[in-house]
């Protein structure tokens, strides 16, 4: 959270204290791993989104419990970035995705329960971060990647961003509008690394230090293509009434036609469709597109059980 005006500092301080207390209490009650008694189902790895943490009970903690219940004791690991709950929350804003992905790859390799493979679920920006894990770190092997509201082609606008205050959201948006591709902003603000300006495509490709790379927009990295094709399924969930991700079609790997920010280009006509090998995955039936009515990450327990749990139970 960023305090822009002196008069708001007391409120900001109280918000920070409340946040830290909530995170610490949540961490005491909920751990980054859960389950593990049922070895007949693949483990599940979760990566939270912006403004969230790995394990608090009102967010991913409840998802962990639900998965353990529905898989009859399957092992679930919810990624905690940085080794403690405060760093984990800060990572959603201030730790570069490349650093986070490298850290996660190391942690997954050390987890013996994942050695034979795992399924992965990414929430919001955690979706494209887990895709980077699939592309960069093939061991242990990721089997099915599920992204809930992931921004695979980036964003161009951040309305109603999930920060602690409206002022923080406004500040981040202005920063992205004015200086997203400067080295300083790219290094210090996570959202800048997948800010995709469709009007200045060259500036985006040259300035983006994360998304342009994992989408093969600078060079064609065959290693990325090869590793992504190893997925059994790549499931993308779009929230059809999303007020946070702009454009919401990025959740289905679509984006604006270059040069403007109104018309969405068909997925199969985009350059990344071929450059990342998505065309072959599409023909092989590995790409799955799901839509759900509701705002960003607004999914019900019933919808999750009906649509996501069967994917986790597949052999």
């Amino acid at each position: 959270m960023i305090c822009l005006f002196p008069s708001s500092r007391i409120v900001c301080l109280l918000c920070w204290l409340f946040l830290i207390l909530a995170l610490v209490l949540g961490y005491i009650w909920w751990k980054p791993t859960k389950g593990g008694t049922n070895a007949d189902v693949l483990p599940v790895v979760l990566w939270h989104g912006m403004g969230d943490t790995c394990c608090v009970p009102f967010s991913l903690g409840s998802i962990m419990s639900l998965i353990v219940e529905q898989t009859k004791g399957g092992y679930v690991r919810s990624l905690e970035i940085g080794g403690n709950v405060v760093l984990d929350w800060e990572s959603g804003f201030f730790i570069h995705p490349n650093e986070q992905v490298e850290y996660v790859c190391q942690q997954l390799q050390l987890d013996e329960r994942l050695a034979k493979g795992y399924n992965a679920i990414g929430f919001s920006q955690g979706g494209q971060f887990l895709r980077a894990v699939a592309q960069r770190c093939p061991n242990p092997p990721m089997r099915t990647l599920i992204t809930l509201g992931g921004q695979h082609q980036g964003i161009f606008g951040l309305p109603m961003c999930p920060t602690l205050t409206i002022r923080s959201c406004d500040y981040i948006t202005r920063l992205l509008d004015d200086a997203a591709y400067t080295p300083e902003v790219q290094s210090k603000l996570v959202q800048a690394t997948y800010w995709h300006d469709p009007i200045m495509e060259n500036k985006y490709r040259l300035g983006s230090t994360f998304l342009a790379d994992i989408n093969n927009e600078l060079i064609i990295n065959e290693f990325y293509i090869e590793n992504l094709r190893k997925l059994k399924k790549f499931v993308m969930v779009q929230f059809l009434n999303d007020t946070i991700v702009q454009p919401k079609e990025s959740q289905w790997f679509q984006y604006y036609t270059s040069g403007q920010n109104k018309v969405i280009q068909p997925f199969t006509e985009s350059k990344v469709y071929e450059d990342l090998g998505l065309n072959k995955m599409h023909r092989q039936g590995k790409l799955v597109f799901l839509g759900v009515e509701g705002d960003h990450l607004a999914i019900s327990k019933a919808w999750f059980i009906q649509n996501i749990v069967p994917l986790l139970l597949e052999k």
Side-chain angles (χ1 to χ4, degrees):
M1 181 180 63
I2 301 166
C3 297
L4 300 180
F5 305 100
S7 60
S8 68
R9 286 177 182 168
I10 294 177
V11 175
C12 288
L13 178 60
L14 291 174
C15 288
W16 270 110
L17 291 173
F18 175 79
L19 172 69
I20 293 171
L21 178 62
L23 294 180
V24 170
L25 289 176
Y27 188 70
I28 291 172
W29 295 329
W30 296 78
K31 301 298 182 182
T33 60
K34 200 170 181 68
T37 59
N38 185 357
D40 293 331
V41 294
L42 280 177
V44 179
V45 171
L46 311 178
W47 196 330
H48 64 78
M50 167 185 176
D52 203 353
T53 63
C54 69
C55 319
V56 290
F58 49 80
S59 185
L60 263 65
S62 62
I63 296 291
M64 294 173 70
S65 296
L66 180 61
I67 293 173
V68 171
E69 173 191 307
Q70 293 295 315
T71 59
K72 295 181 171 55
Y75 176 62
V76 182
R77 176 167 185 162
S78 188
L79 294 168
E80 181 188 53
I81 310 301
N84 66 70
V85 71
V86 176
L87 279 177
D88 189 32
W89 181 82
E90 290 181 350
S91 71
F93 300 96
F94 307 123
I95 300 178
H96 196 285
N98 290 336
E99 296 180 35
Q100 296 191 54
V101 169
E102 182 178 2
Y103 175 82
V104 166
C105 290
Q106 293 172 354
Q107 295 300 307
L108 297 184
Q109 287 173 356
L110 292 173
D111 193 332
E112 295 180 356
R113 295 187 180 188
L114 306 178
K116 295 182 179 180
Y118 64 97
N119 294 318
I121 306 177
F123 297 80
S124 194
Q125 68 184 19
Q128 60 263 36
F129 297 170
L130 274 173
R131 176 163 63 85
V133 171
Q135 293 174 204
R136 294 176 178 175
C137 313
N139 293 304
M142 187 186 297
R143 299 304 186 194
T144 292
L145 171 60
I146 303 167
T147 62
L148 299 168
Q151 300 101 50
H152 294 291
Q153 282 266 45
I155 58 172
F156 190 54
L158 203 61
M160 298 180 65
C161 64
T163 57
L164 289 180
T165 69
I166 293 175
R167 286 174 177 168
S168 298
C169 190
D170 290 342
Y171 176 81
I172 291 173
T173 300
R174 288 199 305 272
L175 196 61
L176 292 170
D177 282 335
D178 296 337
Y181 303 119
T182 62
E184 182 178 10
V185 175
Q186 283 285 312
S187 67
K188 293 182 178 179
L189 184 61
V190 167
Q191 290 67 43
T193 67
Y194 57 87
W195 184 261
H196 184 171
D197 189 333
I199 300 170
M200 296 187 291
E201 288 281 358
N202 285 335
K203 191 172 183 180
Y204 151 70
R205 280 191 290 267
L206 294 173
S208 170
T209 54
F210 174 70
L211 189 68
D213 173 66
I214 66 167
N215 282 357
N216 274 355
E217 295 183 89
L218 284 175
I219 61 171
I220 304 299
N221 189 326
E222 295 291 344
F223 184 68
Y224 287 175
I225 297 172
E226 176 187 347
N227 289 335
L228 198 60
R229 286 179 185 166
K230 291 177 182 177
L231 290 173
K232 179 181 178 181
K233 286 183 180 177
F234 178 9
V235 182
M236 290 168 270
V237 178
Q238 179 184 157
F239 294 90
L240 302 177
N241 311 110
D242 205 311
T243 61
I244 291 178
V245 175
Q246 183 177 312
K248 65 181 185 296
E249 289 82 4
S250 184
Q251 299 166 55
W252 278 353
F253 235 119
Q254 296 175 295
Y255 210 65
Y256 299 117
T257 301
S258 184
Q260 50 82 54
N261 62 346
K262 302 295 182 184
V263 179
I264 299 296
Q265 184 180 46
F267 173 55
T268 56
E269 295 178 13
S270 64
K271 194 171 184 295
V272 72
Y273 182 67
E274 182 175 348
D275 289 349
L276 199 56
L278 297 171
N279 52 349
K280 292 185 178 180
M281 294 182 70
H282 202 187
R283 289 195 293 269
Q284 292 170 342
K286 291 187 174 183
L287 302 185
V288 179
F289 301 89
L290 300 178
V292 56
E293 295 290 342
D295 206 343
H296 194 60
L297 298 184
I299 52 175
S300 67
K301 179 179 178 180
W303 187 91
F304 190 92
I305 292 173
Q306 181 179 351
N307 294 277
I308 303 301
V309 170
L311 297 168
L312 307 179
L313 295 175
E314 290 181 355
K315 299 296 184 180

